[in-house]
């Protein structure tokens, strides 16, 4: 899958939680963020499709 670099800014509390989750899952922080974004986008698309009746 092609990837592009992106910088995001998050509050310190969010960064701390991402870091803890990454450590618990033995994954990188980037992987955790990408997985979370993929899930959020899928949920948004599903909701958007329901709203439009498709």
């Amino acid at each position: 899958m092609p990837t592009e670099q992106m910088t995001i800014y998050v509050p310190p509390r969010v960064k701390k939680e991402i870091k803890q989750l990454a450590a618990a899952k033995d994954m990188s922080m980037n992987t955790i963020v990408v997985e979370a974004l993929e899930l959020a986008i899928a949920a948004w698309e599903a909701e958007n499709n329901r709203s439009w009746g498709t």
Side-chain angles (χ1 to χ4, degrees):
M1 163 177 38
T3 60
E4 294 185 31
Q5 186 170 343
M6 184 172 137
T7 301
I8 61 170
Y9 296 92
V10 297
R13 184 186 67 77
V14 173
K15 183 178 178 182
K16 179 183 171 190
E17 295 297 331
I18 292 169
K19 193 172 188 177
Q20 287 178 348
L21 183 58
K25 291 186 144 211
D26 196 27
M27 301 169 101
S28 75
M29 289 177 67
N30 286 347
T31 300
I32 294 295
V33 170
V34 168
E35 285 186 354
L37 289 171
E38 287 173 338
L39 288 170
I41 290 166
W44 177 81
E45 286 176 334
E47 182 62 33
N48 198 38
N49 287 339
R50 274 195 299 276
S51 297
W52 290 97
T54 58

